[in-house]
Amino acid sequence: MCNRLLSSVPQTHDRLSEEEVSFTNGDVILSGTLVLPPTKGPHPAVVIVNGSGPWVRSAGQDFADFFALNGVAALIYDKRGCGHSTGSWNEAGFDDLAGDALAGLELLKHRPDINPHQIGLEGGSQGGWIVSLAASRSRDLAFIISVSGPGITPEAQGAYCVEQWMKAASYSKADVKEARSLYLLTVRCRRTDSGWDEFEATRKADQSKPWYNACPYMDRDAPGGQ
C-alpha cells in the first residue's frame, strides 16, 4: 500500500519548498530538511523517524514529499552520527533516539507556519518502537504512524530471530533452547548491568558448541564475547 502511494509522488519538487533546519537534543545537533506544502499555513506536520542502522534524510524524501503534497509539512533529518548530524547512532539507546524525534517536534511547535496542535511522528521498522516511546513521553503529539513497526519488545523480537534461524539451520531443540537462553541472558545483563558472572560462565560453557559463532543474531559483543 505504501509503495503504491509513494509511486504517485511526482518526481519534480517544483510545487514544494524546502528549508534546511537544525535542532538539538542535549549536546547532539540534528541536521534536517523541512518540506512544506504548496498551500497556505499554518500546516499540520509530521516528523519522520529513522529505522535501524545509519540513516540520512534522503531516505525519507519520498515520504516527506507525499505528506507535503497532501497538505502536511514533513521534517526529515540525518540520524545522529550520519550525514551532517553529530553524535553516534550505534552508541545511542532508544531513549536517545526518541529524544531526537521529540526535539524535532519542539522545533516545529514554535514555527508560525506549523499548527502546534497537529504535529505527529511517523516511524518505520525500528522507528515504530521509537515513535511509540516518544509518544509515552510527550503530551504534545497529535498522532503517531507506525509503518511495519514491531508489536513486541526488542528482546522478544531478538529471541524470535535467534530461535527461527536456529530451526532453519536444522539445529536440535536442545541447541535452540541453549542459544535462545544465552541471547536472553546477554540482553538482561546489558539492560541491568548486572549478572555478568553468570553470563561469563554460561558463555564459556557454550563457546565450544557449533551454533555459538554460526547464528548471525547472537550478540557476542558483551564483555568476554568474540
Side-chain angles (χ1 to χ4, degrees), residues 65 86 170 194:
D65 291 351
T86 66
S170 300
S194 64

Side-chain angles (χ1 to χ4, degrees), residues 144-172:
I144 62 172
I145 302 171
S146 179
V147 181
S148 300
I152 56 177
T153 65
E155 179 181 31
Q157 178 173 289
Y160 177 84
C161 289
V162 169
E163 184 176 351
Q164 297 308 309
W165 187 91
M166 293 282 291
K167 288 180 179 179
S170 300
Y171 284 98
S172 68

Side-chain angles (χ1 to χ4, degrees), residues 46-50 55 60 63-64 67 74-77 120-123:
V46 62
V47 180
I48 297 177
V49 179
N50 318 299
W55 194 281
F63 279 100
F67 279 114
L75 173 61
I76 48 178
Y77 60 96
L121 304 177
E122 182 273 339

Side-chain angles (χ1 to χ4, degrees), residues 106-128:
E106 285 298 315
L107 170 74
L108 296 178
K109 276 172 52 181
H110 299 289
R111 290 181 59 100
D113 53 354
I114 301 297
N115 185 333
H117 304 296
Q118 294 182 324
I119 305 173
L121 304 177
E122 182 273 339
S125 190
Q126 183 192 85

